[in-house]
Amino acid sequence: MNKLSLCTNHIEKPFYIREINKSIYSIEELGYYLYNYLYLIDDEFFGESLINYIENELEQRTIASGLYQIIENRGSLGEKISFVIKNCGYYTEKESEKLENHLVMLSSKTATERVKAKADILMENEKFNMAINYYNSILNKAVNTDLEDEFYGNVYNNLGVALARLFEYERAAVAFRMAYRLNNSPYTLEAIINCDLILDDLERLERDVKKYDVSDAVVKRLREGLESKKKRIKKNWSKAKENKYIQKCKKEYIVEVNS
């Protein structure tokens, strides 16, 4: 299991954070997680299990008591995050002040924007099924008219990327097409063509090249790029690695879906 190794004052018993598949072993590591993964944090994170861990395992009773008080006074999520950051001993006063600016920015985001940011972080940490669920939760709700079409286009695009990382190229292609209608991004257009090439769907490739006015030079570059990747993968791949990767994907799927 991966660890956040930031200080020497580790205890034996970890606190596991499933969203990024890492364990923390100190109050400094908790502060680091809160500081760098703001969009993954919600009020549920500061539940009884975490505060008990802070109080009894990390023996940070002052911080635990402060969190209980904030909760009792119906304090905001930002207050909880800020309190731990300022008292964890890892960040300077200047860095703590910088956090306040991030918290202001966080509070200015719509709920939909915060969900997308959370999904983006999950995808960066290869928690693809979790990310897909959050992207779909945005797309299955009524459109927020305060947000631009490009925002929703980027949600579809990132959904397509997550699906492609799980080898769901047909579904990814659908997401990329929806994305391109809204964001008109050249990167999304290339993703559409890449899906056609990966699926070896020459009829659809021809149709998309014509529909989106894609030049032969772009198609040639993308095809050569894919061929180059295939050669690198084939050179460094083995049946044992393939089986290990498949088992990892299955395990992640079970954990993420049941979480």
Side-chain angles (χ1 to χ4, degrees), residues 63-93:
I63 294 178
S65 177
L67 286 172
Y68 278 128
Q69 187 173 350
I70 293 171
I71 292 171
E72 186 177 340
N73 294 332
R74 300 183 182 278
S76 68
L77 175 62
E79 287 180 79
K80 299 169 193 173
I81 295 172
S82 182
F83 179 78
V84 175
I85 295 289
K86 289 179 178 178
N87 290 278
C88 73
Y90 185 73
Y91 290 99
T92 65
E93 185 176 343

Side-chain angles (χ1 to χ4, degrees), residues 14-233:
F15 183 84
Y16 178 63
I17 302 173
R18 66 181 177 84
E19 284 84 357
I20 59 169
N21 194 32
K22 294 183 187 295
S23 294
I24 61 172
Y25 292 79
S26 69
I27 193 65
E28 293 89 349
E29 290 179 341
L30 175 59
Y32 178 89
Y33 174 72
L34 294 174
Y35 197 98
N36 290 277
Y37 294 92
L38 278 180
Y39 285 101
L40 285 183
I41 313 301
D42 54 26
D43 282 307
E44 290 183 7
F45 182 77
F46 289 96
E48 198 72 28
S49 61
L50 175 65
I51 301 179
N52 281 339
Y53 181 79
I54 293 171
E55 182 175 17
N56 300 315
E57 301 298 334
L58 298 181
E59 297 183 352
Q60 297 286 336
R61 294 178 178 83
T62 300
I63 294 178
S65 177
L67 286 172
Y68 278 128
Q69 187 173 350
I70 293 171
I71 292 171
E72 186 177 340
N73 294 332
R74 300 183 182 278
S76 68
L77 175 62
E79 287 180 79
K80 299 169 193 173
I81 295 172
S82 182
F83 179 78
V84 175
I85 295 289
K86 289 179 178 178
N87 290 278
C88 73
Y90 185 73
Y91 290 99
T92 65
E93 185 176 343
K94 186 175 181 180
E95 287 171 322
S96 296
E97 289 175 359
K98 185 178 178 181
L99 172 73
E100 297 295 334
N101 296 328
H102 289 303
L103 290 173
V104 170
M105 182 175 67
L106 177 65
S107 64
S108 70
K109 298 287 186 181
T110 66
T112 303
E113 288 175 306
R114 291 198 295 271
V115 171
K116 179 183 178 295
K118 185 172 185 175
D120 291 345
I121 293 172
L122 289 168
M123 187 163 68
E124 288 173 10
N125 285 276
E126 299 186 350
K127 307 292 283 185
F128 302 121
N129 287 293
M130 278 186 180
I132 288 168
N133 287 337
Y134 280 113
Y135 290 134
N136 280 327
S137 74
I138 295 172
L139 300 172
N140 290 335
K141 291 180 180 177
V143 172
N144 184 337
T145 54
D146 292 331
L147 298 172
E148 301 289 338
D149 285 349
E150 183 179 4
F151 171 85
Y152 284 97
N154 292 338
V155 172
Y156 273 113
N157 179 83
N158 292 1
L159 171 62
V161 172
L163 288 167
R165 292 295 298 273
L166 294 174
F167 310 110
E168 296 277 358
Y169 296 114
E170 288 284 3
R171 292 173 63 198
V174 173
F176 287 134
R177 284 183 171 77
M178 293 296 293
Y180 190 67
R181 293 178 190 175
L182 297 167
N183 67 9
N184 200 35
S185 166
Y187 298 105
T188 301
L189 179 55
E190 289 194 1
I192 294 172
I193 302 303
N194 268 326
C195 283
D196 292 342
L197 291 169
I198 291 170
L199 293 167
D200 199 26
D201 192 332
L202 299 182
E203 183 178 337
R204 190 162 65 185
L205 173 63
E206 184 179 351
R207 186 167 63 246
D208 284 337
V209 165
K210 184 177 181 180
K211 178 180 179 180
Y212 300 114
D213 193 24
V214 180
S215 70
D216 292 340
V218 169
V219 175
K220 183 175 183 292
R221 172 171 59 81
L222 294 177
R223 181 179 276 116
E224 289 176 348
L226 287 174
E227 288 301 321
S228 178
K229 287 179 183 178
K230 286 180 182 178
K231 288 179 182 178
R232 289 201 303 272
I233 292 171

